[in-house]
Amino acid sequence: MAKKVRIKKAGSKEYWYADKIGEVFEVAQSPVFCEKYEVIEGWRKPCKLLDKDDVSTIREIDGVLYEEVERMAGIGEIIINPDDGIPTKVTAVSGNSVYVERYLTVDEDGIEVVSVVGVRHGYYRVLEPIDVTPTDELLEIIANLTRRVHELERENKRLRDDVTETLGTITDLLRRRDRRIDEINDKAEMLIDDVVLLDERTEGLR
């Protein structure tokens, strides 16, 4: 059965998820390793495995993501009993249990309806909402990156314009050079013709 988990740590820096702390993945129980989950990504082979000790379960309630945390709950917090999977709110806390808003479930045999008003410590998980709202610091980082991208785009445009202008100048200089070479060649041919003509005229005087 598929479920969502959140990476809370990596047992080794060599694990593929060592740089993905805090990210959420959809997983299923590994059929080979009881202590591992398989990440569901189209069931590619080889499968990506997650150590169960390195993740926490994620539940979605009314569009809000919650992370299951093993600790003592406080009044007003939402808890869940993994045995029945029903979330409920804590109304009071005693030394050995929490009292919750009453709900109905069934016994282990799935026959008798049971009214639950409390759960002993150690038999529930606290559901902590995952804050997906960007922090002011993150928003500032995004804004700075956006400004930097715009600056780089302007700089890139300026460089392109400079290169285009430089290429235009070089092209113009090359054209001027070619025209000057043509002029020099024309004058050289005229001088050669004059020398030949002069040589012919002076041939009889020699």
Side-chain angles (χ1 to χ4, degrees):
M1 182 177 180
K3 63 187 297 184
K4 290 183 178 180
V5 299
R6 190 184 196 192
I7 309 297
K8 62 181 182 180
K9 65 184 180 69
S12 169
K13 64 179 181 180
E14 303 299 327
Y15 287 173
W16 67 269
Y17 53 88
D19 61 344
K20 304 184 185 300
I21 307 302
E23 294 189 23
V24 176
F25 293 90
E26 188 174 7
V27 300
Q29 173 62 51
S30 169
V32 180
F33 307 102
C34 62
E35 74 283 3
K36 294 181 182 292
Y37 291 124
E38 288 184 359
V39 177
I40 300 176
E41 291 181 335
W43 299 109
R44 297 181 303 177
K45 300 296 183 181
C47 295
K48 292 182 178 179
L49 298 177
L50 289 170
D51 285 351
K52 291 184 177 180
D53 290 340
D54 290 345
V55 302
S56 56
T57 300
I58 299 298
R59 295 183 182 271
E60 184 173 350
I61 303 173
D62 297 331
V64 178
L65 292 180
Y66 293 85
E67 179 177 5
E68 289 189 13
V69 180
E70 295 185 40
R71 63 170 174 81
M72 184 179 294
I75 296 175
E77 290 190 305
I78 299 175
I79 67 167
I80 191 167
N81 184 339
D83 292 336
D84 57 43
I86 300 176
T88 184
K89 183 178 292 186
V90 176
T91 58
V93 179
S94 68
N96 59 5
S97 63
V98 293
Y99 297 94
V100 299
E101 295 179 346
R102 177 178 175 273
Y103 68 92
L104 300 178
T105 184
V106 294
D107 60 14
E108 295 181 355
D109 298 325
I111 300 175
E112 183 179 352
V113 175
V114 179
S115 176
V116 179
V117 294
V119 185
R120 294 178 62 85
H121 296 315
Y123 290 89
Y124 61 81
R125 303 289 185 272
V126 180
L127 297 183
E128 293 184 350
I130 299 176
D131 185 10
V132 295
T133 303
T135 62
D136 292 340
E137 181 179 0
L138 180 57
L139 291 174
E140 180 62 24
I141 292 174
I142 294 173
N144 288 335
L145 289 175
T146 302
R147 285 193 294 269
R148 182 56 179 160
V149 168
H150 290 162
E151 290 173 0
L152 291 174
E153 288 176 345
R154 287 194 296 269
E155 179 68 12
N156 188 39
K157 183 180 182 303
R158 185 186 67 78
L159 290 174
R160 286 201 307 268
D161 292 342
D162 289 345
V163 170
T164 301
E165 182 179 355
T166 301
L167 289 175
T169 301
I170 293 174
T171 301
D172 184 59
L173 290 174
L174 290 174
R175 287 174 179 171
R176 291 183 184 180
R177 181 206 64 180
D178 293 340
R179 287 197 299 268
R180 183 57 178 163
I181 290 174
D182 290 340
E183 292 174 358
I184 292 174
N185 288 336
D186 291 341
K187 289 182 178 180
E189 290 177 358
M190 292 176 61
L191 287 173
I192 291 173
D193 292 340
D194 291 344
V195 169
V196 171
L197 180 61
L198 180 61
D199 184 67
E200 290 175 351
R201 289 179 178 178
T202 58
E203 184 177 357
L205 301 175
R206 295 174 184 171

